[in-house]
Amino acid sequence: MKMLDDVLVPAFDFRPPLVVYPFVCLLVYYLSGYYLRPFQKPLWREFLRTLISAVIISLFFFFVIIIDDKVDTYNRYLVSLWALFTFQFVLSYIPRLTITLLTRRRGVIRTQTVHSMAEAEQLQPGEQDEVIIDLPKNYTDRELYALIARIYPLSCAISVVPRIHDMLTGAARISHLDRPSLIRITDHHMSDAELCIKRTFDIIASLAGLLLLSPLLALIALQVKLSSKGPVFYSQERIGQYGLPFRIYKFRTMIDHAEADGIPTLTHDNDPRITGVGRWLRKYRLDELPQLWNILRGEMSIVGPRPERPYFVEQIMREAPYYCLLYKVRPGLTSWGPIRVGYTDTMEKMIERLNCDVVYVENMSLLLDLKIIFFTTSVILHGKGK
């Protein structure tokens, strides 16, 4: 016991650093992507992520707690580091492995197969973890996308039984050896770790933005209030991740009751509904800043497809039924579509922006997000808004 104390217990009061220990563990494991769909991951991936996370955590606390201790030999450092790593890994992995194996044995992943829209409409949220779409051989793409759009709000994994064309082009993948190859519609091109890092960046950036820009936000709010009658903020229902509606927030840039007849109308050049202050806010995209609150709440992301109103979503899907592919990710404050197309004042531009956003969704990465943020900053500084 004395030897163990010499190895693990430092010469100073180590209790303050240990206060942050559980929070550091949770953060590292979250950023590793473990907490996203933990029971659907292969066992080797669970082992590898726990191993890497344990190394990071043990190294962090080794340098924070132990490295300052005075020791007679550096072998003590190595023994201390090895002990920290072993305890961290064993205490993390053994319970995880036990729970995962027991849960899989009980068949926790509930799967439903649908062959038609009528069957899809009978599904209820929370009653299935995965839905497999198996349509007749002569189905059309429009029928498939309609089914996907109907199932997405159930917030479950969606897979499609592939056609021969899908197999030849490599769209069909083998994810489990005990089941046929499927096309997983809801799979991300980002890893779970990247998705968690992206969400962490969203939280930090939106919170920092709301705090640091609070003087600017207050000034804009005052200008909007003094420039015309009506509320400072304007909210609209938009369609977000999984095809679910949410309320988006903006600074009001139009006269009050700009759509008094209740029919949504796109803006256009020299739109008389836009106020003087509103035109300036749109030019530099400052009217979008209140959406930092949407990002902090988890309804949006810094980078992601711009969300549309239900009225326009229905119109777009008549021309481009694959709009539902955007439901895979959170909508964003900016994306490749708005950069390439700008404000969309026609249906043609809306579909062009949709195509850009689909390309983004299919090529998502942290590096691509950084590039889009860089180009967006250039657009804002040059006042290319509308």
Side-chain angles (χ1 to χ4, degrees):
M1 188 67 180
K2 179 64 168 63
M3 180 179 178
L4 187 62
D5 288 343
D6 291 341
V7 172
L8 293 178
V9 179
F12 61 93
D13 186 1
F14 63 92
R15 285 172 293 183
L18 289 182
V19 172
V20 301
Y21 179 77
F23 300 102
V24 172
C25 292
L26 288 173
L27 177 62
V28 172
Y29 284 126
Y30 171 74
L31 294 179
S32 74
Y34 175 77
Y35 296 124
L36 289 184
R37 301 166 295 174
F39 303 122
Q40 299 181 26
K41 293 181 172 64
L43 292 179
W44 67 265
R45 188 175 299 172
E46 182 180 29
F47 173 85
L48 184 61
R49 288 185 176 177
T50 307
L51 180 68
I52 295 174
S53 299
V55 168
I56 294 173
I57 293 170
S58 57
L59 282 173
F60 177 81
F61 280 95
F62 172 75
F63 285 105
V64 169
I65 298 177
I66 297 178
I67 199 68
D68 289 334
D69 293 346
K70 295 180 180 180
V71 294
D72 298 330
T73 172
Y74 284 100
N75 288 334
R76 295 274 183 153
Y77 281 143
L78 297 178
V79 174
S80 298
L81 179 59
W82 177 253
L84 276 175
F85 165 74
T86 302
F87 288 156
Q88 178 65 40
F89 178 76
V90 171
L91 293 177
S92 298
Y93 183 65
I94 298 302
R96 284 181 173 187
L97 180 63
T98 302
I99 293 172
T100 299
L101 292 177
L102 289 176
T103 306
R104 289 183 177 181
R105 182 176 299 177
R106 293 170 186 167
V108 69
I109 300 179
R110 300 161 298 175
T111 302
Q112 293 280 351
T113 301
V114 298
H115 306 84
S116 64
M117 180 62 75
E119 292 182 5
E121 290 175 346
Q122 295 177 2
L123 300 177
Q124 298 297 322
E127 294 184 357
Q128 53 280 312
D129 301 301
E130 180 182 22
V131 175
I132 299 176
I133 300 175
D134 186 8
L135 292 175
K137 294 182 179 180
N138 59 345
Y139 72 84
T140 64
D141 288 341
R142 184 173 292 274
E143 291 173 324
L144 173 61
Y145 290 129
L147 264 177
I148 293 173
R150 174 63 182 80
I151 296 172
Y152 247 120
L154 302 177
S155 301
C156 61
I158 304 174
S159 299
V160 178
V161 175
R163 294 175 291 191
I164 185 63
H165 174 267
D166 301 318
M167 298 179 183
L168 294 176
T169 56
R173 302 289 182 183
I174 298 176
S175 55
H176 298 281
L177 295 179
D178 59 344
R179 54 193 297 184
S181 58
L182 299 169
I183 300 175
R184 179 65 69 86
I185 301 297
T186 49
D187 271 358
H188 290 84
H189 289 271
M190 276 182 161
S191 66
D192 287 348
E194 288 178 305
L195 289 172
C196 290
I197 293 172
K198 178 180 172 71
R199 178 58 190 151
T200 302
F201 173 76
D202 287 341
I203 294 173
I204 295 174
S206 59
L207 185 59
L210 288 170
L211 293 175
L212 297 177
L213 298 176
S214 55
L216 175 62
L217 295 174
L219 180 61
I220 293 175
L222 180 62
Q223 291 293 321
V224 172
K225 189 63 179 178
L226 296 176
S227 65
S228 60
K229 294 181 180 180
V232 171
F233 297 102
Y234 179 65
S235 69
Q236 281 183 337
E237 184 180 68
R238 299 289 179 99
I239 301 299
Q241 190 177 26
Y242 307 123
L244 300 174
F246 72 101
R247 303 296 300 185
I248 197 173
Y249 297 97
K250 295 183 176 185
F251 283 117
R252 182 176 56 83
T253 59
M254 293 187 176
I255 59 175
D256 199 20
H257 303 298
E259 294 178 345
D261 56 2
I263 300 176
T265 306
L266 295 172
T267 59
H268 53 82
D269 291 335
N270 302 317
D271 194 326
R273 299 174 300 165
I274 302 177
T275 65
V277 171
R279 200 171 302 280
W280 180 80
L281 292 177
R282 284 171 172 260
K283 180 178 177 64
Y284 294 97
R285 309 256 174 123
L286 297 177
D287 59 315
E288 311 285 358
L289 286 178
Q291 289 161 45
L292 292 172
W293 177 246
N294 291 111
I295 295 171
L296 188 61
R297 286 164 53 92
E299 297 163 334
M300 293 178 62
S301 177
I302 296 292
V303 180
R306 288 296 294 164
E308 277 296 348
R309 286 182 275 181
Y311 175 83
F312 290 117
V313 169
E314 292 179 3
Q315 289 193 332
I316 293 172
M317 292 190 73
R318 292 178 192 147
E319 302 293 329
Y322 51 88
Y323 183 90
C324 60
L325 297 178
L326 301 185
Y327 295 164
K328 183 187 301 187
V329 300
R330 288 186 179 91
L333 191 62
T334 183
S335 186
W336 190 238
I339 292 174
R340 295 287 297 176
V341 183
Y343 276 99
T344 51
D345 51 7
T346 64
M347 184 56 60
E348 290 74 17
K349 287 184 178 181
M350 297 182 86
I351 294 177
E352 183 182 355
R353 188 179 71 178
L354 164 63
N355 294 335
C356 292
D357 283 336
V358 169
V359 171
Y360 163 77
V361 170
E362 295 303 315
N363 293 274
M364 285 177 61
S365 70
L366 296 177
L367 180 59
L368 180 57
D369 279 9
L370 290 177
K371 290 180 179 178
I372 290 173
I373 292 173
F374 173 79
F375 281 109
T376 301
T377 303
S378 176
V379 169
I380 293 173
L381 293 177
H382 289 86
K384 295 181 180 179
K386 179 180 177 182

